[in-house]
Amino acid sequence: MTKGAKSARQQRGKYTASSIGSTAASAARALVCMSLAGALAATLPPGEARAQAASAALVEAQLPPASLDQTLNRFAALAGVELAVDGALTAGRNSAGLKGSFTVDQGFAEILKGQDLVVVRGSGGAYTLRKAAAPAPESGQALPAVTVNADAERTAVTDQSGSYTTRALSMGKMNQSIRETPQSVTVVTRQQMDDQNMVQLDQVLAQATGFTRTQRNFGSHTFVIRGFAINNTNYLQDGVPGTAYDPTGWFPMDMAIYDRVEILRGASGLLVSAADPSGAVNLVRKRPRAERHFDVTASVGSWNNYRTEVDAGGPINAEGTLRGRVVAAYQDRKYFYDVTHSREPLVYGILEADLARDTKLALGFRHQENTVDGHWIFGLPRYSNGNALDVSRSTSLVQDWNRNTANVNEFFADLEHKIDADWKAKITLNHTEGTLYQRAALPRGAVDPVTLSGSRFYTIYYKQLGVISDGVDANLSGSFKALGGTHQVMVGASAARLKLHSQTANVSVNSPININNPNYYAIAEPTTAPAWSADTDAHDDRYGVYGSARLQLAQPLHLLLGGRFSWLKYQEVSRLTRKTTSDYKQDAEFTPYAGLVYDLNKQWSVYTSYTKTFQPQSSYQTVGGAALKPAVGSNVEAGIKGELDNGRLNFSAAVFSVRKANMAVVDVANLGNCPNSLASTDCYINGSTYRSKGFETEISGELARGWNVAAGYTFLVTRDDQGQSISGETPHHLLRASTNYRLPGELSAWSVGGGVSAQTGYSFPSDEDTTTTTSEGGRAVWDFNTSYRISKHWTAALNITNLFDKRYYAMVGGLSRGNYFGEPRAATLTLRGNF
């Protein structure tokens, strides 16, 4: 039996008891009840007196329909009482909610009306949920025993949960908890994003366990897990792959529309198959709520950072079978470095309809724009000796007319049908259209530490990009009983198509840069774009069928088996020459998935797993003219997981080993002997292997009543065939930790929290001069946040990032470019209203 109540300190941000006395009548009733309770208290022990007084006071509740345990816990929190709940008693049960003013006993009785359960107060004042006593049979006749078995459908939704964890995952398309999943998994919840003021996807990933950020060309940045890159194919939306293009760079994703971010670390062949063995990131959109709501958020931060959000919705018809939600956001901000200024409007809408009792349809739309004036895409150079520049963090090597403009229109739909209590089918569709335009003067060149010369604007770069992507996923999942156990099965198919029209042009310039006093108007703004030097059409088609099963071999032992067959074809054709510039494909490539989970008890499990991915290399040829075999990634790990306090706290610890084998290597005996190869005239062989191994541990959820935490530590070692690191910017030790605590008693209107992102130093040879080493020292960057509940509708919050103003590089590149300062100390003041 576990304590299922969330404290009043945690819950009052949305459901408050502060309206006792909101009318003269309720105030009078409350005064009479409290007076009677005070008189009675004189004859009782102190603890019992407090309990009697609390039970006699009126509590005003406005609780929407929800699961039974959630409604009970929320009412207990409003009343300020402790409630112990056995999850087996509330499993599979729902509540119609609670509205009005009640004493504690009345409130619990109203919630449990029609249920065979009661709440009983103990001698110490704590409450316990129990099975109601059966009525005495008439005429002495015994009633037949009736056994009711119901499995609770755990929800993965984190919106309004107030938690830093979730009881279920949706990315695997089966109803499994984090503990039941035999791989390392992180869920960044809506509450954590709000507490830490994380409004962009790159901010979320930068705070997640095991992630580091690396530099890519022209502002298209990439994150790394376990030494391997997270590319476009590693991102999913609502479980559908191939629907996001450069989401942390050119087409950034605003987090206002997402309920949570589910992250799987290690090879994810069952989900995406053709990708690095790094992991998968599933962005789960917000859905309409059962209750009406209007939420508004406004914030102002350092360097003129202004943002407004509106989130509203609820039932549209009286029956509640048609629901809607609209989210709108606008951010206008400058940065700690000079010149750059961005604007980002967002509109999101979704309709959800119950077509029948067991059939639900959702339709949605997202429009997002991102305009960046003074777009900075190459960062700072370094001194030619490898040292970092001794310049102000506000230094920016851009031209005033640099610009990046991106627009995205996204349409999605899903249809879900519950076949019976155990089986359901779902189909999800996604269509996205995006455009991107860039122009920028590009600085390059290492700086002489004596003369301070060497960095110059070499070219003016133009890029026009049109992106159209379509994705569909259909799956069937359910459970059945056989051979004394309960088993889960899921089968499905997915398809994704990306069409990419890309144009680029370069204009040569040769303008020196004074790094101590850069001239943002050194080059005249171009009036027209030059003729395109490259103009290509690319088609990326991916199809797959997949399946998985969770088989109960014995009461404590589960075997997970699965796999995916994938078909992939990519082709790129020049519009200027009509020639094919890139062409590769892979047919029926199989990526297996296997795992074992052994339950030590109801809270703890040990596990092991093996998964694979692949990456096609068919554009390379062997000396015999055959296409090169794909590179194959694999992830082996073993660990322990705990699901504590009825799922409110999750813990994991794992050791892992990741390999990417059969990578393309130049066949030095056959240089220039493959003239028909599109990738290179040199011939290639499968030969190179990348390896990483390490240890990871993570804890997320509620450590104590009102105290949330999300923390993870990673130890990692990587190497290539020569024993060098495969990811120079990935440190051996990495810590990400965040926490928030609602103060008790009379200070319950306040919460305080903070976090730290810490890592050890690293170094790697420069690309331009392998005899010169680029390095970055270890660091710990601390954050702080606090909030104050002004009233039942309004809350103010203050976030301070880089509290101690640590000077460091968030990304390190080479000598000539690619180095970005981490953001100095910044403060953001936020006002939230919930109605």
Side-chain angles (χ1 to χ4, degrees):
M1 183 170 292
T2 60
K3 290 185 178 179
K6 290 187 178 179
S7 70
R9 299 188 298 274
Q10 182 182 9
Q11 293 289 333
R12 287 175 184 164
K14 178 169 177 62
Y15 304 100
T16 86
S18 63
S19 53
I20 295 176
S22 59
T23 64
S26 62
R29 290 196 300 270
L31 182 60
V32 170
C33 290
M34 287 187 289
S35 298
L36 292 174
L40 180 62
T43 65
L44 298 173
E48 185 71 10
R50 288 192 295 269
Q52 289 281 15
S55 65
L58 288 178
V59 179
E60 183 171 302
Q62 297 291 326
L63 304 182
S67 63
L68 180 59
D69 64 340
Q70 191 175 44
T71 303
L72 287 169
N73 289 337
R74 286 175 170 174
F75 181 73
L78 288 178
V81 299
E82 290 189 0
L83 173 65
V85 174
D86 185 346
L89 296 178
T90 58
R93 302 184 188 225
N94 294 317
S95 167
L98 183 68
K99 295 184 179 181
S101 296
F102 305 90
T103 65
V104 175
D105 291 340
Q106 290 171 344
F108 282 134
E110 186 68 20
I111 294 171
L112 296 174
K113 185 179 292 184
Q115 308 273 3
D116 57 344
L117 302 171
V118 294
V119 168
V120 178
R121 183 169 61 83
S123 59
Y127 288 77
T128 303
L129 180 70
R130 295 179 180 174
K131 196 82 171 176
E138 295 182 6
S139 304
Q141 296 179 350
L143 295 176
V146 177
T147 302
V148 178
N149 293 317
D151 293 327
E153 184 172 353
R154 296 165 295 196
T155 177
V157 176
T158 69
D159 191 19
Q160 301 294 296
S161 72
S163 177
Y164 277 24
T165 192
T166 181
R167 299 187 183 187
L169 296 170
S170 60
M171 66 192 309
K173 302 180 177 65
M174 287 198 301
N175 187 27
Q176 291 180 192
S177 68
I178 294 176
R179 181 180 63 82
E180 294 168 329
T181 304
Q183 277 188 271
S184 296
V185 178
T186 294
V187 178
V188 182
T189 67
R190 185 69 257 168
Q191 187 65 48
Q192 185 180 352
M193 287 188 277
D194 288 342
D195 286 346
Q196 293 184 254
N197 194 36
M198 297 186 291
V199 299
Q200 297 290 345
L201 178 58
D202 60 344
Q203 293 175 311
V204 173
L205 300 185
Q207 295 297 323
T209 298
F211 276 81
T212 54
R213 191 171 186 173
T214 186
Q215 162 67 9
R216 289 294 183 267
N217 286 338
F218 311 115
S220 177
H221 304 302
T222 301
F223 283 87
V224 170
I225 302 177
R226 296 181 177 178
F228 295 94
I230 294 285
N231 292 316
N232 292 327
T233 52
N234 298 84
Y235 290 94
L236 304 89
Q237 288 193 90
D238 289 342
V240 182
T243 61
Y245 186 82
D246 203 24
T248 60
W250 294 341
F251 293 94
M253 286 186 163
D254 194 297
M255 300 312 296
I257 72 170
Y258 294 106
D259 173 81
R260 63 192 180 277
V261 180
E262 300 175 337
I263 300 165
L264 181 145
R265 294 185 296 280
S268 54
L270 188 63
L271 301 176
V272 296
S273 68
D276 255 358
S278 50
V281 178
N282 184 34
L283 298 132
V284 184
R285 300 179 180 99
K286 287 179 176 178
R287 296 296 175 127
R289 298 183 197 166
E291 78 280 7
R292 288 185 176 86
H293 65 98
F294 181 86
D295 306 320
V296 60
T297 303
S299 66
V300 57
S302 301
W303 311 296
N304 297 320
N305 185 0
Y306 302 99
R307 181 179 173 90
T308 302
E309 291 181 25
V310 175
D311 184 342
I316 296 176
N317 60 356
E319 296 79 12
T321 56
L322 180 63
R323 302 166 295 278
R325 189 168 189 170
V326 175
V327 178
Y330 185 81
Q331 186 163 7
D332 185 303
R333 65 170 302 187
K334 294 183 179 179
Y335 297 79
F336 67 90
Y337 44 87
D338 296 334
V339 182
T340 305
H341 176 205
S342 69
R343 298 169 299 284
E344 185 172 295
L346 165 74
V347 177
Y348 168 83
I350 182 172
L351 288 173
E352 194 174 67
D354 298 330
L355 302 183
R357 187 185 67 176
D358 298 317
T359 306
K360 182 167 60 178
L361 172 68
L363 301 170
F365 167 74
R366 171 177 71 105
H367 172 76
Q368 185 173 336
E369 300 177 14
N370 180 258
T371 300
V372 184
D373 295 323
H375 183 47
W376 194 14
I377 58 178
F378 265 19
L380 294 169
R382 300 177 76 87
Y383 289 124
S384 55
N385 59 12
N387 292 337
L389 295 184
D390 183 19
V391 296
S392 167
R393 285 178 287 184
S394 64
T395 302
S396 174
L397 304 185
V398 303
Q399 292 296 281
D400 180 73
W401 46 263
N402 284 15
R403 171 169 285 204
N404 181 94
T405 302
N407 293 273
V408 175
N409 290 307
E410 183 175 69
F411 305 86
F412 62 93
D414 60 58
L415 179 66
E416 181 178 286
H417 175 68
K418 291 186 177 180
I419 300 170
D420 55 30
D422 299 317
W423 289 85
K424 68 179 180 179
K426 186 175 183 179
I427 182 170
T428 305
L429 306 170
N430 198 97
H431 174 78
T432 304
E433 299 178 1
T435 60
L436 173 80
Y437 176 72
Q438 290 181 344
R439 64 176 187 182
L442 305 184
R444 292 191 67 170
V447 177
D448 186 288
V450 178
T451 65
L452 302 183
S453 63
S455 186
R456 311 178 73 87
F457 288 114
Y458 280 104
T459 60
I460 299 174
Y461 168 84
Y462 295 82
K463 189 176 188 72
Q464 183 78 49
L465 195 66
V467 181
I468 299 176
S469 67
D470 294 283
V472 58
D473 183 277
N475 61 82
L476 173 69
S477 62
S479 63
F480 64 94
K481 296 182 183 297
L483 303 176
T486 300
H487 316 285
Q488 292 177 278
V489 174
M490 183 272 297
V491 293
S494 67
R497 169 171 290 180
L498 173 70
K499 296 180 181 179
L500 189 65
H501 179 206
S502 181
Q503 298 170 303
T504 57
N506 293 282
V507 178
S508 296
V509 295
N510 191 358
S511 178
I513 300 173
N514 182 344
I515 61 169
N516 289 317
N517 187 24
N519 182 358
Y520 307 123
Y521 311 95
I523 302 171
E525 178 178 355
T527 56
T528 58
W532 299 114
S533 57
D535 190 349
T536 59
D537 284 318
H539 292 78
D540 190 340
D541 297 326
R542 299 167 185 254
Y543 309 94
V545 293
Y546 56 86
S548 65
R550 189 173 194 268
L551 308 175
Q552 187 175 23
L553 303 183
Q555 182 64 32
L557 182 63
H558 291 84
L559 171 66
L560 290 90
L561 294 174
R564 183 184 186 101
F565 281 99
S566 299
W567 290 259
L568 182 150
K569 180 175 177 58
Y570 179 88
Q571 189 175 63
E572 187 178 283
V573 178
S574 171
R575 289 191 176 192
L576 301 178
T577 65
R578 302 298 178 185
K579 292 183 178 180
T580 300
T581 57
S582 183
D583 190 359
Y584 58 82
K585 68 177 182 178
Q586 204 69 43
D587 290 331
E589 186 72 19
F590 181 67
T591 48
Y593 165 78
L596 273 175
V597 178
Y598 183 83
D599 296 335
L600 302 174
N601 52 40
K602 290 184 178 181
Q603 295 182 318
W604 292 95
S605 301
V606 291
Y607 74 91
T608 185
S609 65
Y610 173 77
T611 56
K612 291 180 69 175
T613 59
F614 76 94
Q615 281 191 328
Q617 302 179 130
S618 59
S619 57
Y620 297 103
Q621 287 186 2
T622 66
V623 67
L628 206 63
K629 293 179 180 180
V632 176
S634 63
N635 183 92
V636 179
E637 70 176 75
I640 184 170
K641 291 190 177 183
E643 187 179 25
L644 311 175
D645 196 14
N646 199 25
R648 291 178 177 84
L649 183 68
N650 280 285
F651 170 84
S652 67
V655 291
F656 58 84
S657 175
V658 187
R659 297 174 76 247
K660 186 178 180 182
N662 293 333
M663 296 173 61
V665 176
V666 175
D667 184 352
V668 294
N670 290 282
L671 300 178
N673 290 335
C674 290
N676 296 323
S677 171
L678 294 176
S680 170
T681 57
D682 296 331
C683 300
Y684 280 75
I685 59 173
N686 293 103
S688 182
T689 299
Y690 283 175
R691 298 173 175 86
S692 76
K693 60 182 179 180
F695 167 78
E696 221 160 35
T697 185
E698 185 174 45
I699 187 169
S700 61
E702 195 176 44
L703 278 177
R705 297 181 66 182
W707 184 11
N708 273 319
V709 65
Y713 163 76
T714 303
F715 170 74
L716 183 69
V717 176
T718 70
R719 63 184 177 90
D720 60 16
D721 295 333
Q722 287 73 44
Q724 300 296 318
S725 172
I726 65 174
S727 177
E729 296 170 89
T730 299
H732 290 314
H733 302 273
L734 181 65
L735 173 67
R736 305 276 193 252
S738 301
T739 187
N740 189 272
Y741 179 62
R742 175 70 60 183
L743 298 181
E746 295 181 355
L747 297 176
S748 63
W750 287 93
S751 74
V752 293
V756 62
S757 178
Q759 63 185 62
T760 51
Y762 53 84
S763 62
F764 52 90
S766 170
D767 291 337
E768 299 93 331
D769 179 6
T770 56
T771 63
T772 302
T773 299
T774 298
S775 63
E776 175 71 5
R779 64 174 182 264
V781 180
W782 296 84
D783 300 331
F784 170 80
N785 65 77
T786 184
S787 69
Y788 176 71
R789 189 178 62 250
I790 301 169
S791 69
K792 67 178 182 179
H793 293 302
W794 293 99
T795 301
L798 174 66
N799 290 79
I800 302 177
T801 55
N802 196 356
L803 180 64
F804 302 110
D805 202 23
K806 176 71 175 178
R807 181 186 171 101
Y808 68 99
Y809 278 92
M811 288 184 287
V812 177
L815 300 181
S816 65
R817 61 178 181 176
N819 303 277
Y820 291 80
F821 276 118
E823 187 175 79
R825 180 169 50 233
T828 302
L829 182 62
T830 302
L831 182 66
R832 290 188 173 92
N834 306 107
F835 304 92

